[in-house]
């Protein structure tokens, strides 16, 4: 967490690539409370106000070993209505990834222990994380390094020194492309389970299984949130349109039916005690 003195120091420092102050720090300093958190998520810059196309707040992980850069990027993303979490090393990032997948990863290449390109290739080789959008943020600026990064599966490449304003724009662009690609695709799969969005049908091991409309919506939402814990309240809001705790039993009944219909894949839906459910790709 950056203290008040560090925020003031960075606010008067040169911009990271575009001239002037590090972009966004005027609003960061204005909204930082005594506890180090923002009192409100009010955006001072009009470019932050221009796009509200996210249905849910997008979660972004930042894997960067430089504390100042990591905190700067995290604060800027937070003020742009993202949920940003920073990690100083691959080990802490991988621990968090086991708990749930973010919507996007900002990845440094030169890291302690495991380098960013190796980590990127591992992410793209695993079913659970191969669709995770990745932006490389690195001091390696040669054409060869860019080609290696993009060929390894990165969605974009930002060289240091950089403008925070440009980085935010690139994050928005990558997320927009990802959302559009998911809408264009008519099929979505997790492990042996595949759903066809046009026909609203479910397949397990290529065998078609009948699902009611709510069962289909519930399963598809869990598949979109693969690897993340989803509360009963969230499922009620997203599938039924309201989130009364008294109605949460409805979710449990539907989950029980879905598990039965999925057969051997039913155990992929894990019960998280006192919270909700999580779908994992491993049968």
């Amino acid at each position: 967490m950056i203290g008040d003195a560090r925020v003031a120091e960075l606010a008067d420092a040169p911009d990271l690539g575009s001239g002037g102050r590090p972009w966004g720090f005027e609003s960061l300093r204005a909204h930082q409370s005594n506890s180090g958190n923002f009192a409100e998520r009010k955006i001072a810059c009009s470019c932050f106000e221009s796009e509200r196309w996210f249905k849910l707040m997008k979660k972004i992980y930042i894997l960067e070993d430089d504390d100042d850069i990591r905190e700067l990027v995290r604060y800027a993303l937070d003020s742009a209505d993202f949920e940003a979490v920073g990690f100083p090393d691959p080990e802490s990032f991988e621990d968090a990834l086991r708990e749930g997948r973010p919507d996007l990863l900002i990845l440094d290449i030169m890291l302690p222990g495991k380098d960013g390109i190796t980590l990127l290739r591992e992410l793209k080789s695993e079913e659970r994380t191969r669709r995770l959008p990745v932006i490389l943020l690195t001091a390696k600026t040669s054409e060869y390094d860019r080609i290696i990064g993009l060929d390894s599966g990165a969605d974009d490449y930002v060289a240091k020194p950089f403008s925070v304003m440009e980085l935010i724009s690139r994050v928005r662009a990558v997320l927009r492309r990802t959302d559009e690609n998911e809408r264009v695709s008519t099929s979505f799969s997790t492990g042996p389970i595949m759903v066809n969005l046009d026909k609203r049908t479910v397949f397990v091991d290529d065998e078609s299984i009948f699902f009611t409309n709510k069962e289909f919506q519930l399963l598809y939402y869990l598949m979109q949130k693969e690897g993340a814990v989803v509360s009963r309240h969230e499922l009620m809001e997203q599938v039924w349109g309201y989130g009364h705790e008294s109605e949460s039993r409805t979710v449990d009944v539907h989950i029980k039916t879905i598990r039965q219909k999925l057969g051997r894949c039913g155990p992929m839906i894990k019960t998280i005690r006192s919270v909700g459910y999580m779908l994992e790709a491993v049968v």
Side-chain angles (χ1 to χ4, degrees):
M1 183 68 67
I2 296 180
D4 291 338
R6 185 57 183 148
V7 169
E9 179 186 344
L10 286 171
D12 294 326
D15 187 9
L16 297 182
S18 63
R21 291 181 177 180
W23 179 85
F25 261 90
E26 290 81 358
S27 59
L28 297 183
R29 183 162 54 182
H31 295 296
Q32 188 184 33
S33 68
N34 292 332
S35 64
N37 298 319
F38 291 114
E40 55 183 344
R41 293 189 178 274
K42 212 170 171 186
I43 308 306
C45 184
S46 62
C47 60
F48 278 170
E49 297 172 344
S50 61
E51 295 188 59
R52 299 295 184 212
W53 49 274
F54 298 101
K55 236 181 140 180
L56 300 170
M57 181 180 287
K58 299 289 187 178
K59 178 178 284 188
I60 300 176
Y61 283 177
I62 308 152
L63 179 48
E64 165 64 64
D65 62 335
D66 186 299
D67 294 340
D68 287 343
I69 293 177
R70 185 177 65 253
E71 288 297 283
L72 170 62
V73 172
R74 188 177 68 82
Y75 268 98
L77 288 169
D78 275 346
S79 70
D81 275 356
F82 295 103
E83 181 185 353
V85 184
F87 303 94
D89 54 65
E91 290 76 15
S92 58
F93 162 74
E94 290 172 339
D95 287 343
L97 194 62
R98 294 186 189 99
E99 301 298 323
R101 193 185 72 179
D103 295 289
L104 183 141
L105 169 64
I106 296 176
L107 176 64
D108 186 16
I109 290 182
M110 293 181 287
L111 294 166
K114 184 186 297 182
D115 69 271
I117 295 297
T118 299
L119 180 59
L120 174 61
R121 288 170 176 164
E122 290 177 356
L123 292 172
K124 295 301 179 181
S125 68
E126 297 180 9
E127 174 66 25
R128 180 171 168 261
T129 54
R130 65 182 178 85
R131 292 187 296 270
L132 173 64
V134 178
I135 296 178
L136 291 176
L137 182 66
T138 176
K140 303 186 78 170
T141 59
S142 71
E143 181 181 9
Y144 175 77
D145 290 322
R146 289 175 182 269
I147 291 172
I148 291 296
L150 294 171
D151 284 351
S152 297
D155 296 86
D156 203 349
Y157 194 107
V158 177
K160 300 175 185 176
F162 62 95
S163 161
V164 180
M165 185 174 182
E166 179 184 353
L167 177 61
I168 296 293
S169 295
R170 288 175 178 265
V171 166
R172 291 187 185 278
V174 169
L175 287 172
R176 189 184 301 110
R177 290 198 301 268
T178 302
D179 284 357
E180 288 173 352
N181 289 340
E182 288 181 354
R183 285 195 294 270
V184 169
S185 177
T186 60
S187 296
F188 192 89
S189 62
T190 299
I193 304 172
M194 185 186 76
V195 297
N196 184 294
L197 304 181
D198 288 340
K199 298 180 180 179
R200 300 186 77 78
T201 52
V202 179
F203 296 86
V204 174
D205 295 325
D206 296 325
E207 180 181 348
S208 178
I209 301 172
F210 173 76
F211 271 59
T212 66
N213 185 49
K214 291 300 182 188
E215 290 168 356
F216 181 90
Q217 292 180 48
L218 188 54
L219 176 62
Y220 179 53
Y221 191 77
L222 287 172
M223 290 172 69
Q224 287 180 298
K225 294 288 185 176
E226 176 195 336
V229 177
V230 184
S231 69
R232 291 177 176 85
H233 179 79
E234 181 178 341
L235 290 170
M236 288 295 299
E237 284 190 331
Q238 295 298 322
V239 177
W240 281 270
Y242 56 90
H244 299 300
E245 291 296 332
S246 60
E247 302 292 337
S248 62
R249 179 62 181 163
T250 302
V251 175
D252 298 336
V253 171
H254 278 74
I255 290 291
K256 181 179 179 181
T257 303
I258 290 172
R259 282 172 170 158
Q260 291 173 345
K261 289 186 175 183
L262 291 177
R264 75 177 187 90
C265 294
M268 289 172 61
I269 302 177
K270 312 293 184 184
T271 300
I272 308 302
R273 187 177 179 86
S274 301
V275 180
Y277 298 96
M278 177 176 65
L279 187 141
E280 291 184 332
V282 179
V283 181

